[in-house]
Amino acid sequence: SVINILEKPYTVDDLTVPDEFNSIIAATLKEIDQLSARIDPNLYKTMTVFVDPIDGTREFATAQGEYVTILIGYNDAVGHPAAGIMYRPLTSPVTWAAGAASEEVVMGLLDYADPPVPNGMLITDGQVSPFIVDLIDELGYERVSSVASGNRAMMLLEGKGGAYIRDTGGFAKWDTSAPTAVLEAYGGTMSKLPPFLDDASLVGYTHLKSEKNLDFVPGQSTLTLSNIADKAAFVKGSEITTTDVSSVKAYSCMQGLVAVDKAAMGDLVKIRKAMQVVMEEHAPTYT
């Protein structure tokens, strides 16, 4: 989106922000200016910031604000998440988590599960792939319904599930930047599925400004309405595996996820073994 908050009328793309919000925007800009005065302008020049102002848009629009998060992720020169904050603004009390592994910093206010659910697999509210269905059964885990990327990462930290694993896409790098940084700071991981399957490597997505998808692997993923660059070219019901990086959105995440918190890092060996068993019948569905 193209956001204009430098001159009135304030706009977001073709939408004009109602006048009633002008004073809030002005006050916020003033506070940001005061904060910026405290930061050396020559520092952090190599960092890239990914912001998701409303992670869980559908939930926000359907009066399920307790699942909504604000995500801000700071990424280093090679695109690895270095620090982040996940903030649930509409819970009571407000819940949040922040961290920077390189600084050995973690902080937050979380809604911990009582009792924890270490054998819970967080699943999407959409269709679950055969690979994930069989993986849950192979591990003997229970399904834990969940929505919104930031909320799911916070659920892992809160002990509301032991793992969040998916092979399908439908999410983007502003959904993974802050969660990856915070989970890593807390001792966990949020990594791409293929490297983990190949040799147990924990490799995250690349979070840099780019006009092409920096994690794209030719012939690996199927085009969907979510990841295709030109929606007008999408044919419903088609299953086209793409070899052209220009055919997909620059910031789509198309290699699934393996996400666990610190308490479940020791479970990664058995999780990978279960995946290898499942793959004999159902390969991951990368989209």
Side-chain angles (χ1 to χ4, degrees), residues 56-80:
T57 308
R58 181 178 57 183
E59 288 70 36
F60 180 76
T62 54
Q64 301 179 78
E66 66 271 23
Y67 303 123
V68 172
T69 56
I70 298 170
L71 305 176
I72 304 175
Y74 300 86
N75 308 276
D76 64 21
V78 296
H80 186 79

Side-chain angles (χ1 to χ4, degrees), residues 108-141:
L109 178 64
L110 294 166
D111 176 30
Y112 290 103
D114 184 19
V117 190
N119 291 331
M121 179 75 74
L122 303 185
I123 60 171
T124 71
D125 55 337
Q127 185 175 357
V128 181
S129 74
F131 173 78
I132 297 298
V133 170
D134 287 357
L135 178 62
I136 294 171
D137 291 341
E138 181 68 24
L139 287 167
Y141 277 21

Side-chain angles (χ1 to χ4, degrees):
S1 296
V2 177
I3 300 173
N4 163 47
I5 52 174
L6 298 178
E7 57 183 26
K8 298 178 183 178
Y10 301 133
T11 57
V12 178
D13 291 332
D14 296 330
L15 301 175
T16 299
V17 177
D19 290 343
E20 63 193 273
F21 294 105
N22 287 351
S23 61
I24 297 174
I25 294 173
T28 303
L29 288 173
K30 183 178 179 180
E31 291 182 4
I32 290 174
D33 285 340
Q34 291 173 344
L35 285 172
S36 67
R38 298 163 53 185
I39 301 174
D40 186 333
N42 295 314
L43 295 178
Y44 313 115
K45 291 289 188 181
T46 61
M47 300 204 82
T48 302
V49 183
F50 276 78
V51 179
D52 192 343
I54 305 179
D55 176 53
T57 308
R58 181 178 57 183
E59 288 70 36
F60 180 76
T62 54
Q64 301 179 78
E66 66 271 23
Y67 303 123
V68 172
T69 56
I70 298 170
L71 305 176
I72 304 175
Y74 300 86
N75 308 276
D76 64 21
V78 296
H80 186 79
I85 182 168
M86 305 185 292
Y87 183 79
R88 288 195 195 109
L90 299 177
T91 56
S92 183
V94 166
T95 47
W96 60 283
S102 63
E103 303 295 325
E104 299 182 348
V105 170
V106 292
M107 57 185 73
L109 178 64
L110 294 166
D111 176 30
Y112 290 103
D114 184 19
V117 190
N119 291 331
M121 179 75 74
L122 303 185
I123 60 171
T124 71
D125 55 337
Q127 185 175 357
V128 181
S129 74
F131 173 78
I132 297 298
V133 170
D134 287 357
L135 178 62
I136 294 171
D137 291 341
E138 181 68 24
L139 287 167
Y141 277 21
E142 62 179 278
R143 296 188 183 198
V144 179
S145 296
S146 61
V147 294
S149 297
N151 178 61
R152 292 186 185 107
M154 292 185 70
M155 289 177 70
L156 290 177
L157 295 177
E158 293 167 334
K160 296 175 181 176
Y164 170 41
I165 298 171
R166 63 188 296 173
D167 51 344
T168 54
F171 58 103
K173 294 184 179 181
W174 44 82
D175 296 314
T176 55
S177 176
T180 299
V182 177
L183 279 171
E184 289 187 353
Y186 274 79
T189 189
M190 179 174 277
S191 302
K192 295 187 289 187
L193 179 56
F196 179 71
L197 282 172
D198 289 344
D199 58 13
S201 297
L202 298 177
V203 181
Y205 283 97
T206 307
H207 300 82
L208 292 173
K209 184 178 180 180
S210 176
E211 294 184 359
K212 66 178 182 179
N213 194 306
L214 298 176
D215 294 285
F216 180 77
V217 176
Q220 183 181 69
S221 302
T222 303
L223 289 174
T224 67
L225 194 57
S226 173
N227 66 33
I228 195 168
D230 180 8
K231 288 189 176 183
F234 181 71
V235 179
K236 188 175 181 180
S238 64
E239 294 187 3
I240 301 172
T241 301
T242 180
T243 58
D244 181 6
V245 67
S246 67
S247 69
V248 300
K249 294 177 181 177
Y251 300 118
S252 286
C253 294
M254 301 166 59
Q255 296 186 42
L257 280 179
V258 177
V260 299
D261 75 337
K262 181 179 181 180
M265 288 293 286
D267 295 334
L268 289 177
V269 172
K270 74 173 184 180
I271 289 173
R272 184 168 178 266
K273 286 181 178 178
M275 288 179 178
Q276 291 170 331
V277 172
V278 168
M279 286 178 64
E280 294 178 6
E281 248 184 84
H282 291 119
T285 306
Y286 298 120
T287 58

